[in-house]
Every structure is written in C-alpha cells, then in structure tokens.
Amino acid sequence: MSEPTNFCGIICEFNPLHFGHSEIITRAKSIAPVVCVMSGNFVQRGEPAILDKWSRTRLALQNGADLVLELPLPWACSGAENFAYGAVSILNSLGLSGTLLFGSECGNAVILEETAGILLSKRFAAMLTQELESQKNSFAATREKTLLLHFGKKYAEILQKPNNILGIEYIKAIKNLSADLKPLSIARLGAGHDTTALAGEFLSASEIRQHILEEKDISNILPQNTASLLTELISRGEAPHTIDSIERAILACLRQMTRSDFAALPDISEGLEHKLFTSIQKAKSLEEVYILTKSKRYSHARIRRLVMSAFLGLRSNLPKRPPYIRVLGMNQTGETLIRKAKLTLPLAVRPSDFKRLGDDALMLFELEANADNLYALSSPTISSCGNDYTQPIIKL
C-alpha cells in the first residue's frame, strides 16, 4: 500500500496554461489536493510571461489547482538548478508529506533518481571538475560527456532532454533539502520543447505563444477558459506581454551599467561580465546582445537570463532560498490545506505581511513589485504601477 500524501505539488509557469498542463493537473487531482508553485510575471526563458500572474493563477484554479503559491523572481528567472531548488523549498516549507508530480520525456522517476544520485556523488563531482578544467565546452555539455565516459549512454541520454534535466534538478533539490516529497514523473504530453506538434499532438507552450503573436486562431489549441481569457485581454490591449515591447527599455538600462554592475549579477562567472559589457556596447538589439555574448561555454538561455536579471535589478547578494510563502490564489480546499500545514516559513498574503517580516522578505517583495511595474510596460497598452500592492489573492 502506498504511503499517504497530503498534497500533490506541481512546479509550473503556465505560459500559457494549455491542454498538457490541464492533463497533468487532472492527474495530480486524482492523487491529492493540488498545490502549484508558479513563476510570477517573468519566466525562466528570460522574458515576460505572455499573461500576467493573476490571470494565470485564475486559470490554474479553474483547471483544478487548489492552491497557487508564487515562486519569487530570483528563482523564477534562474537556471534549472536554482529554479528547482527554490520551488521545492517552498513545497517543503508546508511541513507536510507530499508528492511532486512532473512531466519528463522519459516519464520514469526511477531512472531520473538514479541519475540525480550520480550527479550528487563526490566521485562524479571530482570527475566533472577535472573535465571542466580541461576543456571550454558549456557546463551542460561537459556534464553530459562526463556521464557518458564514466557511467554510460543510459544516463548521458537522459541529459539530452530539457524536462528530464528539470526533473533531475527537482530530485536533487528534494535530496539536498531532505524534503518529505515523493517524486512522480509521467511522460510529457504533446510536442517537445520548442518543436512543432505532429498531427493529434498537443502544441507546446512555445508554439502556442507563436500562434498568439501571429494573431492566429487559438480557440482549438487551448482549453476554453484560457482561450477566452486571452481573447478578452488581447481585445483590451492587456495581452500579450512580450519582450519586444520593452526592448528599448532593457537596452537603455544595460547601456547605463558598468562592468562592476554586471559582475554583481547572479550566475556570472569566469569574466563573463566583460564579454557581456562589450557586447552591449556594440549591439543594436537584444538578439544581437545574445549572439555576440553566446559561446560554446555560455548558452543563449543563460545570456537571456543574465540580461533580464540586469534589467530587473537582480544581484548575487540574494538569499539562497525563498524566505516566505506567498499565496496568489486558492479555493476552499486550498484554504483548508493551508490551515492544516505545519509551516516552516511565514505566510505572506498582503503587502503589510512583508513589511512586518522585514529583512529578506521585504527586500524580495519590493524587488518583485518593482519588476511587476516594469512588466506593466510589456503589454500593447501600458498599465499603471502598483499592482502587487492592490491586487487581492484570487479566490474561487
């Protein structure tokens, strides 16, 4: 008999919420009440989310989620390891045993756990350090090569798919935090990341975003409530949010920064600040910044995140893990779950809660609120500031 679980966690962006997301929520719902840890208005791609976090919270609840918690900005805009660590730490802070459900290309938590165990071992760490010192490939490519050389094709191939990698990082975070979470993976539904869907497949989020930007019909490629809300917000000029709308604002910010400013960014290393600074002096567009800075060692995705971190005011002197649990939305089941929880972090719902907590919590909330003010510039019609101070939590 399986061990009881108090909740089923999903770590997500819902950018936007599509049929694949709806299916995984339904699967989670069959296990236990569903707790989503969701990125706010900026996502891991180093871009604004196409829909604001309050709209995505409402859609999550309408599609079966019971409680939606915010993954704070520094972790939402980070690479896979920090993204996973921040989200898992929030689920762990509920103080309840739970299940973490996620999609992966392999759909097999056992092989992902085995791979995570290897990556966390001292033996592998020593091998990886030696390989990194002897070549100039990216960390990801060197890690995969090290696995292939010393542990075989079975594990190396797992690292070739993005959702497998994210699943491994979830499991590593569970192990590092000694979290009372059981990882459960199902085969990823629909088209692969950044690929075109085949006949009968669910479209990937990236392909759906492209449909939206090209003003194509979205009524049949999204759940009805997502399509309806998107259509309504687009008609009012409140969506889609795009990086193109704030490109000049980002470039203006970057051109005012010094080498020392870039050196203070999170995830900067090996003199990358100098290459980024030089690229920005030459570039006439964000895409040109990415291209000029990218190399075998530094991926396009990493450069995008660094650029967004610079624009949003993120610096390396941030806490290692989120210092609070912020509720974006819930239904009655979610409210019951919060009352049942044995919280190991303070709960924050209103702006006054952050002021009372002070220190890291207040600093991060103010950083989030400032980022959301900049997010308000990224829609077709510019909206006013202060939404984080005035928007109540979504209750269904």
Side-chain angles (χ1 to χ4, degrees):
M1 187 175 180
S2 61
E3 295 178 9
T5 187
N6 293 284
F7 68 90
C8 192
I10 297 174
I11 298 167
C12 55
E13 291 181 332
F14 294 155
N15 187 32
L17 192 148
H18 56 61
F19 285 117
H21 296 139
S22 181
E23 288 286 338
I24 202 167
I25 294 174
T26 299
R27 173 68 182 271
K29 196 84 170 176
S30 71
I31 298 170
V34 179
V35 179
C36 292
V37 178
M38 188 184 78
S39 300
N41 283 334
F42 290 89
V43 295
Q44 204 186 13
R45 291 176 65 88
E47 296 179 354
I50 204 161
L51 278 179
D52 69 272
K53 63 189 179 188
W54 306 107
S55 296
R56 287 180 290 124
T57 296
R58 184 175 296 279
L59 289 171
L61 294 170
Q62 289 174 348
N63 281 273
D66 298 299
L67 178 64
V68 182
L69 308 175
E70 183 172 38
L71 179 61
L73 182 69
W75 294 272
C77 290
S78 190
E81 186 173 17
N82 280 341
F83 175 89
Y85 189 85
V88 169
S89 69
I90 289 175
L91 290 173
N92 187 44
S93 68
L94 293 174
L96 301 169
S97 60
T99 298
L100 175 59
L101 179 66
F102 57 90
S104 64
E105 287 83 2
C106 70
N108 184 342
V110 174
I111 185 68
L112 296 177
E113 287 192 80
E114 289 176 4
T115 309
I118 294 170
L119 298 183
L120 286 171
S121 69
K122 290 181 180 179
R123 181 185 171 208
F124 181 81
M127 292 172 176
L128 181 60
T129 299
Q130 188 175 8
E131 290 289 343
L132 286 168
E133 289 172 351
S134 66
Q135 56 183 294
K136 294 185 177 180
N137 287 327
S138 69
F139 174 83
T142 305
R143 186 172 67 166
E144 183 185 328
K145 180 186 175 184
T146 306
L147 265 182
L148 178 63
L149 287 174
H150 300 283
F151 295 91
K153 187 177 179 181
K154 171 185 174 182
Y155 298 109
E157 286 184 339
I158 288 291
L159 290 184
Q160 293 174 1
K161 299 293 184 180
N163 291 97
N164 286 346
I165 292 171
L166 201 49
I168 288 167
E169 293 302 339
Y170 294 151
I171 293 167
K172 284 171 59 183
I174 289 171
K175 291 178 181 292
N176 285 329
L177 289 161
S178 299
D180 194 2
L181 289 171
K182 178 186 175 183
L184 176 62
S185 186
I186 59 174
R188 190 180 186 279
L189 300 166
H193 179 68
D194 282 339
T195 62
T196 302
L198 302 174
E201 276 191 325
F202 296 148
L203 273 66
S204 68
S206 54
E207 192 173 0
I208 289 168
R209 289 193 296 273
Q210 195 58 40
H211 271 66
I212 293 166
L213 297 178
E214 293 173 1
E215 300 182 4
K216 293 181 179 178
D217 180 22
I218 57 173
S219 59
N220 295 321
I221 61 172
L222 287 167
Q224 188 274 327
N225 45 26
T226 301
S228 295
L229 183 57
L230 255 169
T231 302
E232 178 187 342
L233 293 176
I234 289 170
S235 72
R236 299 206 307 249
E238 296 175 21
H241 289 261
T242 67
I243 198 166
D244 291 348
S245 298
I246 50 174
E247 181 174 26
R248 286 185 181 237
I250 296 171
L251 289 170
C253 172
L254 297 178
R255 289 186 176 195
Q256 296 177 76
M257 293 177 65
T258 65
R259 291 178 192 270
S260 297
D261 293 330
F262 288 113
L265 293 175
D267 195 31
I268 204 92
S269 61
E270 301 168 320
L272 179 53
E273 68 270 18
H274 302 299
K275 188 169 187 181
L276 188 55
F277 177 84
T278 302
S279 298
I280 287 160
Q281 305 309 304
K282 297 177 181 177
K284 299 174 185 176
S285 68
L286 284 178
E287 189 57 39
E288 196 172 355
V289 171
Y290 307 149
I291 292 169
L292 289 173
T293 312
K294 182 184 179 296
S295 68
K296 284 177 69 177
R297 202 164 183 87
Y298 311 125
S299 70
H300 198 285
R302 183 179 177 186
I303 304 307
R304 285 201 311 266
R305 285 193 293 269
L306 283 171
V307 165
M308 188 54 68
S309 294
F311 177 58
L312 299 177
L314 298 180
R315 297 299 180 262
S316 58
N317 60 340
L318 293 165
K320 186 179 180 182
R321 64 181 74 169
Y324 55 78
I325 302 170
R326 186 185 188 188
V327 179
L328 294 179
M330 59 186 172
N331 58 20
Q332 193 168 15
T333 300
E335 197 166 357
T336 301
L337 184 65
I338 281 289
R339 286 200 298 268
K340 177 183 176 183
K342 302 168 185 176
L343 303 178
T344 59
L345 284 177
L347 194 67
V349 179
R350 304 172 187 84
S352 58
D353 294 333
F354 296 99
K355 189 172 182 180
R356 172 177 49 81
L357 293 171
D359 299 329
D360 286 344
L362 180 59
M363 179 269 290
L364 283 172
F365 174 70
E366 289 176 343
L367 195 64
E368 195 90 50
N370 180 67
D372 290 351
N373 290 341
L374 296 173
Y375 179 80
L377 301 172
S378 67
S379 56
T381 300
I382 294 172
S383 55
S384 57
C385 295
N387 208 23
D388 257 307
Y389 291 93
T390 58
Q391 173 66 50
I393 68 170
I394 307 295
K395 284 193 174 184
L396 291 188

